[in-house]
Amino acid sequence: MPTKISGSHVFIAGAGGVGVSGVALILQDLGVPVCGSDLRESELTRLLSARGVEVHDTSQPQLAATARFVVVPAGFPCRHPEIEAAQHAGIPVHGRSAALAKVCRQHQTTACLSFGTLSRARLARLWAKAFDHAGWCTGIITDDALPHARWGKPLCLDLDEREVWQHRDILPAFAPPIVAISDWEEDSLGYYGQDLDLKRFLSWCRTLAPLTVSPLPSSGPDQIDIEVWEAGRQTTYDSYGIQRIGFASTLSGITHKTDSLTPITGTHADLTACAVAMTLYRIHGIRTPLSPLSCVGWFKPVTENHVHDIRMHPVSVRAALRALRAATPGRAAGVVMRPFAATLHAYSLEHWHEALKEADHVILIDPPYEGCPPEDCLEFAQGLCHRGLSVRTLTHARARAFCQPQDAWLWVGAPDIVAMP
Protein backbone atom coordinates (compact mmCIF):
# COMPACT_ATOMS: atom_id res chain seq x y z
CA MET A 1 0.00 0.00 0.00
CA PRO A 2 1.47 3.38 -0.94
CA THR A 3 2.06 6.13 1.56
CA LYS A 4 -1.03 8.15 2.27
CA ILE A 5 -1.38 11.51 0.58
CA SER A 6 -0.89 14.22 3.16
CA GLY A 7 -3.00 17.33 3.37
CA SER A 8 -6.70 18.15 3.44
CA HIS A 9 -9.58 16.23 1.98
CA VAL A 10 -10.44 15.82 -1.70
CA PHE A 11 -13.94 16.89 -2.71
CA ILE A 12 -15.85 14.99 -5.42
CA ALA A 13 -18.62 16.97 -7.10
CA GLY A 14 -21.43 14.80 -8.48
CA ALA A 15 -19.90 11.91 -6.51
CA GLY A 16 -22.44 9.36 -7.73
CA GLY A 17 -21.26 9.70 -11.33
CA VAL A 18 -20.10 6.50 -13.00
CA GLY A 19 -16.61 7.93 -13.59
CA VAL A 20 -15.81 10.08 -10.56
CA SER A 21 -17.14 7.50 -8.09
CA GLY A 22 -14.15 5.36 -9.10
CA VAL A 23 -11.79 8.25 -8.33
CA ALA A 24 -13.36 8.53 -4.87
CA LEU A 25 -12.80 4.82 -4.21
CA ILE A 26 -9.18 4.89 -5.39
CA LEU A 27 -8.45 7.86 -3.14
CA GLN A 28 -10.22 6.07 -0.30
CA ASP A 29 -7.98 3.03 -0.89
CA LEU A 30 -5.01 5.38 -0.55
CA GLY A 31 -6.23 6.62 2.81
CA VAL A 32 -7.12 10.08 1.53
CA PRO A 33 -10.03 11.80 3.31
CA VAL A 34 -12.73 12.02 0.64
CA CYS A 35 -16.14 13.63 0.68
CA GLY A 36 -18.53 14.82 -1.96
CA SER A 37 -22.07 15.65 -2.91
CA ASP A 38 -24.77 14.33 -5.19
CA LEU A 39 -28.40 15.41 -5.22
CA ARG A 40 -29.62 11.92 -6.09
CA GLU A 41 -29.16 8.65 -4.20
CA SER A 42 -28.06 5.74 -6.39
CA GLU A 43 -26.28 2.40 -6.33
CA LEU A 44 -22.98 4.25 -6.50
CA THR A 45 -23.69 6.77 -3.73
CA ARG A 46 -24.71 3.85 -1.51
CA LEU A 47 -21.50 2.02 -2.46
CA LEU A 48 -19.43 5.10 -1.61
CA SER A 49 -21.15 5.51 1.75
CA ALA A 50 -20.59 1.83 2.56
CA ARG A 51 -16.88 2.32 1.87
CA GLY A 52 -16.69 5.32 4.22
CA VAL A 53 -16.96 8.19 1.73
CA GLU A 54 -19.18 10.97 3.10
CA VAL A 55 -21.68 11.91 0.37
CA HIS A 56 -23.99 14.89 1.04
CA ASP A 57 -27.35 15.25 -0.67
CA THR A 58 -27.07 19.04 -0.89
CA SER A 59 -24.51 21.34 -2.48
CA GLN A 60 -21.43 21.89 -0.26
CA PRO A 61 -19.48 24.98 -1.43
CA GLN A 62 -17.67 25.25 1.91
CA LEU A 63 -16.22 21.75 1.58
CA ALA A 64 -15.12 22.47 -1.99
CA ALA A 65 -13.45 25.74 -0.91
CA THR A 66 -11.32 23.98 1.74
CA ALA A 67 -10.31 20.89 -0.27
CA ARG A 68 -6.86 19.84 -1.44
CA PHE A 69 -8.42 19.73 -4.90
CA VAL A 70 -11.88 19.22 -6.41
CA VAL A 71 -12.83 16.53 -8.94
CA VAL A 72 -15.73 17.15 -11.34
CA PRO A 73 -17.43 14.77 -13.80
CA ALA A 74 -17.64 15.47 -17.52
CA GLY A 75 -20.28 18.02 -18.38
CA PHE A 76 -20.52 19.41 -14.83
CA PRO A 77 -21.76 23.04 -14.98
CA CYS A 78 -18.85 25.49 -14.61
CA ARG A 79 -21.08 27.98 -12.79
CA HIS A 80 -22.04 25.47 -10.10
CA PRO A 81 -21.71 26.92 -6.53
CA GLU A 82 -19.14 24.29 -5.55
CA ILE A 83 -16.92 25.07 -8.54
CA GLU A 84 -17.22 28.81 -8.07
CA ALA A 85 -16.37 28.48 -4.36
CA ALA A 86 -13.28 26.40 -5.12
CA GLN A 87 -12.08 28.78 -7.83
CA HIS A 88 -12.64 31.81 -5.59
CA ALA A 89 -10.52 30.12 -2.90
CA GLY A 90 -7.77 29.22 -5.38
CA ILE A 91 -8.44 25.46 -5.09
CA PRO A 92 -7.49 23.39 -8.19
CA VAL A 93 -10.47 21.91 -10.04
CA HIS A 94 -9.65 18.77 -12.05
CA GLY A 95 -11.65 16.65 -14.43
CA ARG A 96 -11.64 12.93 -13.82
CA SER A 97 -8.77 12.18 -16.23
CA ALA A 98 -6.51 14.91 -14.83
CA ALA A 99 -7.21 13.77 -11.25
CA LEU A 100 -6.28 10.17 -12.10
CA ALA A 101 -3.08 11.34 -13.82
CA LYS A 102 -2.20 13.28 -10.66
CA VAL A 103 -2.66 10.19 -8.48
CA CYS A 104 -0.72 7.90 -10.84
CA ARG A 105 2.20 10.35 -11.10
CA GLN A 106 2.42 10.77 -7.35
CA HIS A 107 2.47 7.02 -6.74
CA GLN A 108 4.45 6.02 -9.84
CA THR A 109 1.68 3.69 -10.91
CA THR A 110 1.50 2.21 -14.40
CA ALA A 111 -1.82 2.93 -16.10
CA CYS A 112 -3.18 1.14 -19.17
CA LEU A 113 -5.80 3.38 -20.78
CA SER A 114 -9.04 2.70 -22.63
CA PHE A 115 -11.00 5.24 -24.68
CA GLY A 116 -14.26 4.98 -26.60
CA THR A 117 -17.72 6.40 -26.99
CA LEU A 118 -19.95 3.85 -25.26
CA SER A 119 -18.10 0.88 -23.74
CA ARG A 120 -14.70 2.02 -22.53
CA ALA A 121 -15.69 1.23 -18.92
CA ARG A 122 -16.56 -2.35 -19.84
CA LEU A 123 -13.22 -2.76 -21.58
CA ALA A 124 -11.26 -1.40 -18.59
CA ARG A 125 -12.91 -3.87 -16.21
CA LEU A 126 -12.49 -6.87 -18.51
CA TRP A 127 -8.90 -5.85 -19.10
CA ALA A 128 -8.21 -5.61 -15.37
CA LYS A 129 -9.39 -9.19 -14.94
CA ALA A 130 -6.86 -10.31 -17.55
CA PHE A 131 -4.07 -8.75 -15.50
CA ASP A 132 -4.78 -11.05 -12.53
CA HIS A 133 -7.33 -8.63 -11.09
CA ALA A 134 -5.37 -5.45 -11.59
CA GLY A 135 -6.72 -2.14 -10.37
CA TRP A 136 -9.49 -0.40 -12.24
CA CYS A 137 -11.53 2.76 -11.99
CA THR A 138 -15.04 2.69 -13.38
CA GLY A 139 -18.57 2.69 -12.08
CA ILE A 140 -19.07 -0.95 -12.98
CA ILE A 141 -20.73 -3.08 -10.30
CA THR A 142 -19.55 -6.69 -10.09
CA ASP A 143 -20.41 -9.52 -7.75
CA ASP A 144 -16.82 -9.96 -6.51
CA ALA A 145 -16.63 -6.67 -4.55
CA LEU A 146 -13.03 -6.12 -5.64
CA PRO A 147 -11.28 -2.94 -4.54
CA HIS A 148 -10.72 -0.39 -7.27
CA ALA A 149 -7.00 0.04 -6.54
CA ARG A 150 -4.55 -2.88 -6.47
CA TRP A 151 -1.23 -1.21 -5.97
CA GLY A 152 1.83 -2.91 -7.42
CA LYS A 153 -0.22 -3.99 -10.45
CA PRO A 154 -1.28 -1.91 -13.45
CA LEU A 155 -4.34 0.27 -13.19
CA CYS A 156 -6.75 -0.15 -16.11
CA LEU A 157 -8.46 3.19 -16.54
CA ASP A 158 -11.21 4.33 -18.88
CA LEU A 159 -10.76 7.98 -19.85
CA ASP A 160 -12.88 10.52 -21.69
CA GLU A 161 -11.08 11.26 -24.97
CA ARG A 162 -12.77 14.68 -25.11
CA GLU A 163 -11.03 15.79 -21.93
CA VAL A 164 -7.70 14.24 -22.90
CA TRP A 165 -7.81 15.83 -26.37
CA GLN A 166 -8.67 19.22 -24.92
CA HIS A 167 -5.87 19.04 -22.30
CA ARG A 168 -2.93 17.55 -24.20
CA ASP A 169 -0.70 17.24 -21.10
CA ILE A 170 -2.88 14.53 -19.52
CA LEU A 171 -2.04 11.57 -21.78
CA PRO A 172 1.78 12.02 -21.69
CA ALA A 173 1.56 12.32 -17.88
CA PHE A 174 0.30 8.74 -17.69
CA ALA A 175 3.11 7.41 -19.98
CA PRO A 176 0.78 4.48 -20.78
CA PRO A 177 2.35 1.19 -21.97
CA ILE A 178 -0.92 0.33 -23.76
CA VAL A 179 -3.79 2.38 -25.16
CA ALA A 180 -6.94 0.57 -26.29
CA ILE A 181 -10.04 1.90 -28.03
CA SER A 182 -13.23 0.11 -27.01
CA ASP A 183 -15.48 1.43 -29.79
CA TRP A 184 -15.92 4.45 -32.06
CA GLU A 185 -19.18 6.07 -33.04
CA GLU A 186 -18.35 8.16 -36.09
CA ASP A 187 -21.70 9.97 -35.82
CA SER A 188 -21.62 10.89 -32.13
CA LEU A 189 -24.77 13.06 -32.21
CA GLY A 190 -23.23 15.91 -30.27
CA TYR A 191 -21.63 13.71 -27.60
CA TYR A 192 -18.13 15.02 -28.22
CA GLY A 193 -19.08 18.68 -27.86
CA GLN A 194 -16.06 19.98 -29.69
CA ASP A 195 -15.29 18.52 -33.10
CA LEU A 196 -12.99 15.65 -32.12
CA ASP A 197 -11.31 14.02 -35.11
CA LEU A 198 -11.20 10.36 -34.03
CA LYS A 199 -8.59 9.31 -36.59
CA ARG A 200 -6.32 12.17 -35.56
CA PHE A 201 -6.79 11.27 -31.90
CA LEU A 202 -5.85 7.64 -32.56
CA SER A 203 -2.76 8.68 -34.55
CA TRP A 204 -1.71 10.83 -31.60
CA CYS A 205 -2.12 7.89 -29.20
CA ARG A 206 0.09 5.74 -31.42
CA THR A 207 2.93 8.24 -31.07
CA LEU A 208 2.72 8.14 -27.27
CA ALA A 209 2.02 4.49 -26.41
CA PRO A 210 4.23 1.51 -27.37
CA LEU A 211 1.10 -0.56 -28.09
CA THR A 212 -2.35 0.51 -29.33
CA VAL A 213 -5.33 -1.74 -30.02
CA SER A 214 -8.43 -0.40 -31.78
CA PRO A 215 -11.39 -1.51 -33.92
CA LEU A 216 -11.38 -1.04 -37.68
CA PRO A 217 -14.44 0.38 -39.47
CA SER A 218 -17.19 -2.22 -39.48
CA SER A 219 -16.98 -4.68 -42.36
CA GLY A 220 -20.45 -6.05 -41.66
CA PRO A 221 -23.13 -6.40 -38.96
CA ASP A 222 -21.84 -9.83 -37.92
CA GLN A 223 -18.07 -9.23 -37.91
CA ILE A 224 -15.70 -7.09 -35.84
CA ASP A 225 -12.10 -6.42 -36.93
CA ILE A 226 -9.40 -5.28 -34.48
CA GLU A 227 -6.00 -3.87 -35.42
CA VAL A 228 -2.79 -3.81 -33.36
CA TRP A 229 -0.04 -1.20 -33.67
CA GLU A 230 3.34 -1.62 -32.02
CA ALA A 231 6.04 1.06 -31.97
CA GLY A 232 4.07 3.18 -34.44
CA ARG A 233 3.40 0.53 -37.11
CA GLN A 234 0.57 -1.91 -37.72
CA THR A 235 1.56 -5.48 -36.88
CA THR A 236 -1.55 -7.68 -36.86
CA TYR A 237 -5.35 -7.64 -36.93
CA ASP A 238 -7.92 -10.05 -35.55
CA SER A 239 -11.44 -10.81 -36.77
CA TYR A 240 -14.37 -11.98 -34.66
CA GLY A 241 -17.81 -13.21 -35.62
CA ILE A 242 -21.10 -12.35 -33.90
CA GLN A 243 -23.88 -14.85 -33.31
CA ARG A 244 -27.08 -13.28 -31.94
CA ILE A 245 -29.66 -15.17 -29.86
CA GLY A 246 -32.32 -12.75 -28.60
CA PHE A 247 -30.77 -10.26 -26.19
CA ALA A 248 -27.64 -12.41 -25.89
CA SER A 249 -24.74 -12.59 -28.35
CA THR A 250 -21.74 -14.88 -28.58
CA LEU A 251 -18.46 -13.53 -29.92
CA SER A 252 -16.07 -16.10 -31.41
CA GLY A 253 -12.66 -15.80 -33.00
CA ILE A 254 -12.30 -16.28 -36.75
CA THR A 255 -8.54 -15.75 -36.89
CA HIS A 256 -8.07 -17.42 -33.49
CA LYS A 257 -10.71 -20.10 -33.30
CA THR A 258 -9.83 -21.20 -29.76
CA ASP A 259 -11.01 -17.88 -28.34
CA SER A 260 -14.64 -17.66 -27.27
CA LEU A 261 -16.93 -15.59 -25.12
CA THR A 262 -19.87 -16.48 -22.97
CA PRO A 263 -23.11 -14.79 -24.04
CA ILE A 264 -23.17 -11.03 -23.50
CA THR A 265 -26.20 -8.81 -23.30
CA GLY A 266 -25.80 -5.35 -24.75
CA THR A 267 -25.05 -3.26 -27.78
CA HIS A 268 -22.71 -3.64 -30.71
CA ALA A 269 -20.33 -1.35 -28.81
CA ASP A 270 -20.24 -3.85 -25.93
CA LEU A 271 -19.33 -6.62 -28.36
CA THR A 272 -16.61 -4.46 -29.91
CA ALA A 273 -15.14 -3.75 -26.47
CA CYS A 274 -15.10 -7.49 -25.74
CA ALA A 275 -13.37 -8.16 -29.07
CA VAL A 276 -10.68 -5.63 -28.15
CA ALA A 277 -10.32 -7.36 -24.77
CA MET A 278 -9.91 -10.72 -26.48
CA THR A 279 -7.11 -9.32 -28.65
CA LEU A 280 -5.42 -7.91 -25.55
CA TYR A 281 -5.74 -11.32 -23.93
CA ARG A 282 -4.15 -12.95 -26.97
CA ILE A 283 -1.23 -10.49 -26.92
CA HIS A 284 -0.55 -11.34 -23.29
CA GLY A 285 -1.09 -15.07 -23.77
CA ILE A 286 -4.16 -15.21 -21.55
CA ARG A 287 -7.07 -17.45 -22.52
CA THR A 288 -9.46 -16.77 -19.62
CA PRO A 289 -13.07 -16.69 -20.90
CA LEU A 290 -14.86 -13.43 -20.30
CA SER A 291 -18.03 -13.28 -18.27
CA PRO A 292 -20.89 -10.79 -18.65
CA LEU A 293 -20.53 -7.58 -16.66
CA SER A 294 -22.99 -4.77 -16.16
CA CYS A 295 -22.23 -1.07 -15.95
CA VAL A 296 -24.62 0.72 -13.62
CA GLY A 297 -27.76 1.58 -15.54
CA TRP A 298 -26.24 0.70 -18.90
CA PHE A 299 -28.69 -1.47 -20.84
CA LYS A 300 -29.94 -3.47 -17.88
CA PRO A 301 -32.71 -6.00 -18.59
CA VAL A 302 -35.74 -5.19 -16.46
CA THR A 303 -38.29 -7.70 -17.73
CA GLU A 304 -38.58 -9.77 -20.88
CA ASN A 305 -40.02 -6.81 -22.79
CA HIS A 306 -38.24 -3.89 -21.11
CA VAL A 307 -34.67 -2.72 -20.77
CA HIS A 308 -33.29 0.24 -18.83
CA ASP A 309 -30.57 2.68 -19.85
CA ILE A 310 -29.38 5.53 -17.63
CA ARG A 311 -27.08 7.42 -19.97
CA MET A 312 -28.95 10.37 -21.33
CA HIS A 313 -26.99 11.38 -24.41
CA PRO A 314 -28.43 10.68 -27.87
CA VAL A 315 -25.70 8.33 -29.13
CA SER A 316 -26.25 6.03 -26.13
CA VAL A 317 -30.02 5.97 -26.55
CA ARG A 318 -29.66 5.27 -30.28
CA ALA A 319 -27.29 2.35 -29.61
CA ALA A 320 -29.60 0.83 -26.98
CA LEU A 321 -32.66 1.28 -29.22
CA ARG A 322 -30.91 -0.45 -32.11
CA ALA A 323 -29.87 -3.34 -29.85
CA LEU A 324 -33.46 -3.64 -28.63
CA ARG A 325 -34.75 -3.74 -32.21
CA ALA A 326 -32.17 -6.37 -33.23
CA ALA A 327 -33.19 -8.54 -30.26
CA THR A 328 -36.94 -8.28 -30.92
CA PRO A 329 -37.48 -8.48 -34.70
CA GLY A 330 -41.02 -7.98 -35.90
CA ARG A 331 -42.13 -6.18 -32.73
CA ALA A 332 -42.80 -2.51 -32.16
CA ALA A 333 -40.06 -0.75 -30.18
CA GLY A 334 -40.62 2.33 -28.05
CA VAL A 335 -38.63 4.65 -25.78
CA VAL A 336 -39.83 5.99 -22.43
CA MET A 337 -37.62 8.83 -21.21
CA ARG A 338 -37.75 10.94 -18.07
CA PRO A 339 -35.59 13.96 -18.93
CA PHE A 340 -32.87 15.59 -16.88
CA ALA A 341 -32.09 19.23 -17.57
CA ALA A 342 -28.97 18.22 -19.52
CA THR A 343 -31.08 15.87 -21.65
CA LEU A 344 -32.87 18.80 -23.22
CA HIS A 345 -30.21 21.50 -23.09
CA ALA A 346 -26.89 19.76 -23.87
CA TYR A 347 -28.00 18.37 -27.25
CA SER A 348 -30.00 19.75 -30.13
CA LEU A 349 -33.43 18.62 -31.29
CA GLU A 350 -31.76 17.44 -34.49
CA HIS A 351 -29.51 15.09 -32.47
CA TRP A 352 -32.45 13.69 -30.54
CA HIS A 353 -34.52 13.27 -33.68
CA GLU A 354 -31.69 11.23 -35.21
CA ALA A 355 -31.39 9.12 -32.05
CA LEU A 356 -35.13 8.42 -31.72
CA LYS A 357 -36.25 8.21 -35.34
CA GLU A 358 -36.20 4.37 -35.32
CA ALA A 359 -38.66 4.24 -32.38
CA ASP A 360 -42.31 3.48 -33.08
CA HIS A 361 -43.35 5.42 -29.98
CA VAL A 362 -41.63 8.00 -27.76
CA ILE A 363 -42.99 8.84 -24.30
CA LEU A 364 -41.67 11.68 -22.13
CA ILE A 365 -42.54 11.28 -18.46
CA ASP A 366 -44.06 14.30 -16.75
CA PRO A 367 -42.86 15.57 -14.34
CA PRO A 368 -39.22 15.40 -15.49
CA TYR A 369 -36.34 15.16 -13.02
CA GLU A 370 -35.57 18.01 -10.64
CA GLY A 371 -34.03 21.03 -12.34
CA CYS A 372 -35.80 20.40 -15.64
CA PRO A 373 -38.84 22.71 -16.01
CA PRO A 374 -42.00 20.93 -17.25
CA GLU A 375 -42.49 23.63 -19.88
CA ASP A 376 -39.08 22.72 -21.35
CA CYS A 377 -40.19 19.09 -21.53
CA LEU A 378 -43.38 20.09 -23.35
CA GLU A 379 -41.46 22.30 -25.81
CA PHE A 380 -39.04 19.40 -26.42
CA ALA A 381 -41.94 17.02 -27.16
CA GLN A 382 -43.54 19.50 -29.55
CA GLY A 383 -40.24 19.98 -31.37
CA LEU A 384 -39.88 16.23 -31.91
CA CYS A 385 -43.50 15.97 -33.09
CA HIS A 386 -42.88 18.73 -35.65
CA ARG A 387 -40.01 16.59 -36.95
CA GLY A 388 -42.35 13.67 -37.58
CA LEU A 389 -41.93 11.53 -34.44
CA SER A 390 -44.82 10.04 -32.47
CA VAL A 391 -44.32 11.65 -29.05
CA ARG A 392 -46.55 11.69 -25.97
CA THR A 393 -46.07 13.40 -22.60
CA LEU A 394 -47.54 11.16 -19.88
CA THR A 395 -47.34 10.58 -16.16
CA HIS A 396 -45.34 7.54 -15.06
CA ALA A 397 -48.51 5.56 -14.28
CA ARG A 398 -50.07 6.35 -17.66
CA ALA A 399 -46.80 5.48 -19.41
CA ARG A 400 -46.82 2.04 -17.79
CA ALA A 401 -50.40 1.53 -18.88
CA PHE A 402 -49.58 2.58 -22.44
CA CYS A 403 -46.64 0.14 -22.80
CA GLN A 404 -48.28 -2.97 -24.17
CA PRO A 405 -46.56 -6.28 -23.24
CA GLN A 406 -46.36 -7.43 -26.85
CA ASP A 407 -44.03 -4.48 -27.65
CA ALA A 408 -40.41 -3.89 -26.63
CA TRP A 409 -39.60 -0.82 -24.53
CA LEU A 410 -36.46 1.05 -23.55
CA TRP A 411 -36.77 3.05 -20.31
CA VAL A 412 -34.25 5.90 -20.11
CA GLY A 413 -33.60 7.63 -16.81
CA ALA A 414 -32.21 7.10 -13.32
CA PRO A 415 -32.76 3.68 -11.69
CA ASP A 416 -35.94 4.94 -10.01
CA ILE A 417 -37.65 5.00 -13.40
CA VAL A 418 -38.25 1.25 -13.23
CA ALA A 419 -39.11 1.25 -9.51
CA MET A 420 -41.68 4.05 -9.49
CA PRO A 421 -45.24 2.94 -8.73
Side-chain angles (χ1 to χ4, degrees):
M1 185 73 161
T3 305
K4 295 180 180 180
I5 297 176
S6 60
S8 59
H9 64 275
V10 173
F11 185 82
I12 313 290
V18 170
V20 294
S21 61
V23 179
L25 291 177
I26 279 187
L27 291 168
Q28 187 80 349
D29 289 339
L30 289 170
V32 179
V34 185
C35 61
S37 68
D38 201 298
L39 302 183
R40 180 171 298 280
E41 185 183 21
S42 66
E43 291 177 81
L44 288 176
T45 59
R46 290 190 289 271
L47 173 64
L48 292 177
S49 297
R51 290 280 296 273
V53 177
E54 189 176 281
V55 181
H56 300 266
D57 60 4
T58 58
S59 182
Q60 299 291 318
Q62 72 281 7
L63 290 176
T66 55
R68 178 184 178 90
F69 59 89
V70 175
V71 183
V72 298
F76 200 76
C78 60
R79 296 184 63 84
H80 191 279
E82 291 168 347
I83 306 308
E84 291 180 332
Q87 292 172 336
H88 182 74
I91 304 300
V93 178
H94 298 306
R96 176 179 178 274
S97 301
L100 287 170
K102 184 182 182 76
V103 172
C104 288
R105 280 198 309 269
Q106 182 160 353
H107 295 284
Q108 299 180 339
T109 298
T110 299
C112 300
L113 308 180
S114 70
F115 298 96
T117 309
L118 293 172
S119 292
R120 58 180 180 255
R122 178 183 289 276
L123 173 59
R125 186 61 182 87
L126 294 175
W127 195 357
K129 291 186 72 173
F131 281 127
D132 189 24
H133 292 300
W136 49 288
C137 182
T138 70
I140 290 176
I141 297 295
T142 64
D143 56 7
D144 51 21
L146 294 174
H148 275 51
R150 288 180 174 264
W151 303 101
K153 295 181 183 234
L155 276 175
C156 298
L157 306 178
D158 67 293
L159 301 185
D160 188 333
E161 54 272 10
R162 297 169 297 171
E163 183 183 0
V164 170
W165 186 246
Q166 186 175 1
H167 303 283
R168 304 293 176 86
D169 57 330
I170 294 176
L171 187 57
F174 280 105
I178 306 174
V179 167
I181 310 299
S182 64
D183 66 282
W184 283 141
E185 289 285 333
E186 292 293 341
D187 180 4
S188 58
L189 303 183
Y191 177 67
Y192 288 108
Q194 71 273 7
D195 185 17
L196 175 57
D197 186 325
L198 301 179
K199 293 180 180 178
R200 188 178 174 194
F201 177 81
L202 182 55
S203 297
W204 179 53
C205 290
R206 289 169 179 160
T207 66
L208 294 173
L211 178 68
T212 60
V213 181
S214 61
L216 289 165
S218 176
S219 57
D222 298 318
Q223 183 172 326
I224 298 173
D225 298 323
I226 308 298
E227 64 177 346
V228 180
W229 284 60
E230 297 179 81
R233 64 185 184 89
Q234 184 178 357
T235 55
T236 59
Y237 77 91
D238 293 345
S239 294
Y240 301 94
I242 302 171
Q243 181 180 1
R244 302 182 187 278
I245 308 171
F247 281 109
S249 299
T250 298
L251 194 65
S252 59
I254 298 173
T255 305
H256 306 279
K257 294 183 182 300
T258 57
D259 291 330
S260 64
L261 280 175
T262 53
I264 297 169
T265 299
T267 66
H268 190 273
D270 288 322
L271 292 169
T272 303
C274 289
V276 173
M278 288 179 69
T279 293
L280 289 165
Y281 285 14
R282 178 185 63 76
I283 292 170
H284 291 281
I286 301 171
R287 297 291 182 183
T288 306
L290 306 183
S291 58
L293 297 171
S294 179
C295 186
V296 173
W298 170 230
F299 206 58
K300 280 187 173 181
V302 178
T303 68
E304 181 182 352
N305 300 321
H306 300 75
V307 294
H308 167 232
D309 180 274
I310 194 173
R311 299 200 295 177
M312 303 289 287
H313 52 76
V315 68
S316 170
V317 174
R318 180 183 62 183
L321 178 60
R322 286 178 174 175
L324 182 64
R325 274 208 171 279
T328 56
R331 292 164 57 184
V335 175
V336 182
M337 185 162 62
R338 189 181 183 198
F340 291 98
T343 311
L344 308 187
H345 299 148
Y347 308 100
S348 69
L349 272 172
E350 288 70 24
H351 290 141
W352 279 113
H353 174 261
E354 185 65 25
L356 296 168
K357 68 180 183 181
E358 296 180 29
D360 296 295
H361 306 283
V362 177
I363 296 175
L364 298 180
I365 290 185
D366 184 24
Y369 286 111
E370 296 87 345
C372 180
E375 55 270 23
D376 289 0
C377 188
L378 180 60
E379 183 180 351
F380 180 70
Q382 291 172 341
L384 291 177
C385 285
H386 291 159
R387 285 163 174 78
L389 296 185
S390 172
V391 183
R392 291 172 172 82
T393 302
L394 303 175
T395 64
H396 190 274
R398 291 186 64 192
R400 283 203 175 276
F402 183 87
C403 295
Q404 298 299 311
Q406 67 268 22
D407 299 332
W409 291 90
L410 175 68
W411 291 72
V412 182
D416 64 355
I417 196 172
V418 294
M420 294 173 67

